[in-house]
PDB file of all heavy atoms in Angstrom:
ATOM      1  N   ALA A 319      11.217 -54.490   5.631  1.00  0.00           N
ATOM      2  CA  ALA A 319      10.132 -54.808   6.476  1.00  0.00           C
ATOM      3  C   ALA A 319      10.639 -55.359   7.746  1.00  0.00           C
ATOM      4  O   ALA A 319      11.705 -56.024   7.824  1.00  0.00           O
ATOM      5  CB  ALA A 319       9.086 -55.725   5.837  1.00  0.00           C
ATOM      6  N   SER A 320       9.905 -55.135   8.875  1.00  0.00           N
ATOM      7  CA  SER A 320      10.125 -55.733  10.182  1.00  0.00           C
ATOM      8  C   SER A 320       9.161 -56.745  10.463  1.00  0.00           C
ATOM      9  O   SER A 320       8.131 -56.721  10.026  1.00  0.00           O
ATOM     10  CB  SER A 320       9.903 -54.614  11.272  1.00  0.00           C
ATOM     11  OG  SER A 320      10.266 -53.324  10.825  1.00  0.00           O
ATOM     12  N   GLY A 321       9.603 -57.726  11.288  1.00  0.00           N
ATOM     13  CA  GLY A 321       8.748 -58.949  11.484  1.00  0.00           C
ATOM     14  C   GLY A 321       8.551 -59.140  13.001  1.00  0.00           C
ATOM     15  O   GLY A 321       9.471 -58.774  13.796  1.00  0.00           O
ATOM     16  N   SER A 327       1.347 -61.333  15.780  1.00  0.00           N
ATOM     17  CA  SER A 327       2.186 -61.840  14.735  1.00  0.00           C
ATOM     18  C   SER A 327       3.048 -63.045  15.264  1.00  0.00           C
ATOM     19  O   SER A 327       3.099 -64.075  14.667  1.00  0.00           O
ATOM     20  CB  SER A 327       3.041 -60.782  14.120  1.00  0.00           C
ATOM     21  OG  SER A 327       4.033 -61.271  13.166  1.00  0.00           O
ATOM     22  N   ARG A 331       2.492 -66.916  13.901  1.00  0.00           N
ATOM     23  CA  ARG A 331       3.628 -67.614  13.273  1.00  0.00           C
ATOM     24  C   ARG A 331       4.045 -68.755  14.123  1.00  0.00           C
ATOM     25  O   ARG A 331       4.361 -69.852  13.542  1.00  0.00           O
ATOM     26  CB  ARG A 331       4.712 -66.497  13.082  1.00  0.00           C
ATOM     27  CG  ARG A 331       4.473 -65.855  11.846  1.00  0.00           C
ATOM     28  CD  ARG A 331       5.335 -64.630  11.786  1.00  0.00           C
ATOM     29  NE  ARG A 331       4.538 -63.460  11.384  1.00  0.00           N
ATOM     30  CZ  ARG A 331       4.130 -63.231  10.205  1.00  0.00           C
ATOM     31  NH1 ARG A 331       4.334 -63.922   9.189  1.00  0.00           N
ATOM     32  NH2 ARG A 331       3.421 -62.176   9.973  1.00  0.00           N
ATOM     33  N   PHE A 354      13.804 -57.577   6.847  1.00  0.00           N
ATOM     34  CA  PHE A 354      14.134 -58.226   5.542  1.00  0.00           C
ATOM     35  C   PHE A 354      13.701 -57.262   4.439  1.00  0.00           C
ATOM     36  O   PHE A 354      12.962 -56.364   4.568  1.00  0.00           O
ATOM     37  CB  PHE A 354      13.400 -59.515   5.459  1.00  0.00           C
ATOM     38  CG  PHE A 354      11.889 -59.412   5.656  1.00  0.00           C
ATOM     39  CD1 PHE A 354      11.090 -59.270   4.531  1.00  0.00           C
ATOM     40  CD2 PHE A 354      11.292 -59.391   6.894  1.00  0.00           C
ATOM     41  CE1 PHE A 354       9.726 -59.193   4.601  1.00  0.00           C
ATOM     42  CE2 PHE A 354       9.873 -59.376   7.030  1.00  0.00           C
ATOM     43  CZ  PHE A 354       8.988 -59.303   5.911  1.00  0.00           C
ATOM     44  N   GLU A 381      -0.859 -58.303   5.013  1.00  0.00           N
ATOM     45  CA  GLU A 381      -0.327 -57.824   6.365  1.00  0.00           C
ATOM     46  C   GLU A 381      -0.319 -56.323   6.261  1.00  0.00           C
ATOM     47  O   GLU A 381       0.455 -55.625   5.595  1.00  0.00           O
ATOM     48  CB  GLU A 381       1.040 -58.330   6.594  1.00  0.00           C
ATOM     49  CG  GLU A 381       1.100 -59.930   6.814  1.00  0.00           C
ATOM     50  CD  GLU A 381       2.235 -60.441   7.425  1.00  0.00           C
ATOM     51  OE1 GLU A 381       3.296 -59.609   7.631  1.00  0.00           O
ATOM     52  OE2 GLU A 381       2.332 -61.730   7.599  1.00  0.00           O
ATOM     53  N   GLU A 383       0.401 -52.684   7.484  1.00  0.00           N
ATOM     54  CA  GLU A 383       1.538 -52.264   8.337  1.00  0.00           C
ATOM     55  C   GLU A 383       1.729 -50.699   8.135  1.00  0.00           C
ATOM     56  O   GLU A 383       1.573 -50.237   6.984  1.00  0.00           O
ATOM     57  CB  GLU A 383       2.808 -52.997   7.917  1.00  0.00           C
ATOM     58  CG  GLU A 383       2.608 -54.506   7.968  1.00  0.00           C
ATOM     59  CD  GLU A 383       3.847 -55.377   7.960  1.00  0.00           C
ATOM     60  OE1 GLU A 383       5.054 -54.803   7.980  1.00  0.00           O
ATOM     61  OE2 GLU A 383       3.766 -56.601   7.832  1.00  0.00           O
ATOM     62  N   ASP A 402       2.139 -56.067   3.321  1.00  0.00           N
ATOM     63  CA  ASP A 402       3.311 -56.992   3.237  1.00  0.00           C
ATOM     64  C   ASP A 402       2.511 -58.351   2.922  1.00  0.00           C
ATOM     65  O   ASP A 402       2.391 -59.186   3.704  1.00  0.00           O
ATOM     66  CB  ASP A 402       4.003 -57.029   4.538  1.00  0.00           C
ATOM     67  CG  ASP A 402       4.948 -58.216   4.654  1.00  0.00           C
ATOM     68  OD1 ASP A 402       5.320 -58.783   3.638  1.00  0.00           O
ATOM     69  OD2 ASP A 402       5.313 -58.602   5.786  1.00  0.00           O
ATOM     70  N   SER A 404       1.643 -62.046   2.164  1.00  0.00           N
ATOM     71  CA  SER A 404       2.442 -63.146   2.501  1.00  0.00           C
ATOM     72  C   SER A 404       1.673 -64.542   2.380  1.00  0.00           C
ATOM     73  O   SER A 404       0.440 -64.613   2.438  1.00  0.00           O
ATOM     74  CB  SER A 404       2.666 -63.020   4.137  1.00  0.00           C
ATOM     75  OG  SER A 404       3.241 -61.783   4.418  1.00  0.00           O
ATOM     76  N   LYS A 420       7.255 -64.122   1.014  1.00  0.00           N
ATOM     77  CA  LYS A 420       7.096 -62.676   1.207  1.00  0.00           C
ATOM     78  C   LYS A 420       7.597 -61.866   0.132  1.00  0.00           C
ATOM     79  O   LYS A 420       7.082 -60.696  -0.064  1.00  0.00           O
ATOM     80  CB  LYS A 420       7.786 -62.330   2.553  1.00  0.00           C
ATOM     81  CG  LYS A 420       6.995 -62.752   3.691  1.00  0.00           C
ATOM     82  CD  LYS A 420       7.434 -62.218   4.999  1.00  0.00           C
ATOM     83  CE  LYS A 420       6.409 -62.344   6.010  1.00  0.00           C
ATOM     84  NZ  LYS A 420       5.338 -61.251   5.896  1.00  0.00           N
ATOM     85  N   GLY A 491       5.731 -54.105  10.524  1.00  0.00           N
ATOM     86  CA  GLY A 491       5.213 -55.340  11.073  1.00  0.00           C
ATOM     87  C   GLY A 491       3.630 -55.282  11.187  1.00  0.00           C
ATOM     88  O   GLY A 491       3.027 -54.231  11.284  1.00  0.00           O
ATOM     89  N   THR A 492       3.076 -56.536  11.296  1.00  0.00           N
ATOM     90  CA  THR A 492       1.614 -56.528  11.241  1.00  0.00           C
ATOM     91  C   THR A 492       1.078 -56.959  12.720  1.00  0.00           C
ATOM     92  O   THR A 492       1.775 -57.825  13.257  1.00  0.00           O
ATOM     93  CB  THR A 492       1.052 -57.578  10.269  1.00  0.00           C
ATOM     94  OG1 THR A 492      -0.384 -57.481  10.280  1.00  0.00           O
ATOM     95  CG2 THR A 492       1.346 -59.042  10.452  1.00  0.00           C
TER      96      THR A 492
HETATM   97 MG1   MG B 199       4.795 -58.318   7.784  1.00  0.00          MG
END
Side-chain angles (χ1 to χ4, degrees):
S320 324
S327 178
R331 281 164 223 283
F354 58 93
E381 292 193 357
E383 307 193 7
D402 170 22
S404 302
K420 290 192 159 276
T492 188

